[in-house]
Amino acid sequence: MITPIAPVSAPPYGMATHTWPDGTTDDYDHLLGHFANMANITGFPSITLPAGADELGLAFGLQVIGRQGGDFRLLAMTRELEAILGAHP
């Protein structure tokens, strides 16, 4: 399964909360663990990859979640994704 690492880009330095277009706010601590918890709770192997930057230059990435016991297959697939994304030469 491939998901974003978080529903938002990396927070600007020193920012504790994210403001949504409707004016509501969320703590970055909560947002940044949002999708990671899915893999951590289940025990599935997962790895994150840098995927680019937003219009402000703030990083965002992808989380790749594999099957239980599929660590080596996940690493192999991640190498292919890195080549496609150009994350690491």
Side-chain angles (χ1 to χ4, degrees):
M1 179 185 320
I2 299 175
T3 71
I5 292 172
V8 294
S9 298
Y13 181 76
M15 295 291 292
T17 60
H18 175 78
T19 302
W20 297 100
D22 67 359
T24 59
T25 61
D26 278 309
D27 290 336
Y28 274 111
D29 288 343
H30 169 76
L31 292 172
L32 297 179
H34 187 78
F35 292 111
N37 291 339
M38 184 175 15
N40 293 336
I41 290 170
T42 62
F44 291 110
S46 65
I47 193 165
T48 60
L49 299 170
D54 67 12
E55 64 277 355
L56 299 175
L58 301 171
F60 61 88
L62 298 174
Q63 173 180 234
V64 184
I65 303 170
R67 293 181 177 164
Q68 286 185 333
D71 302 58
F72 291 114
R73 186 170 181 192
L74 176 65
L75 288 170
M77 188 174 84
T78 300
R79 281 189 207 100
E80 292 181 33
L81 284 171
E82 283 181 318
I84 292 167
L85 295 171
H88 298 284

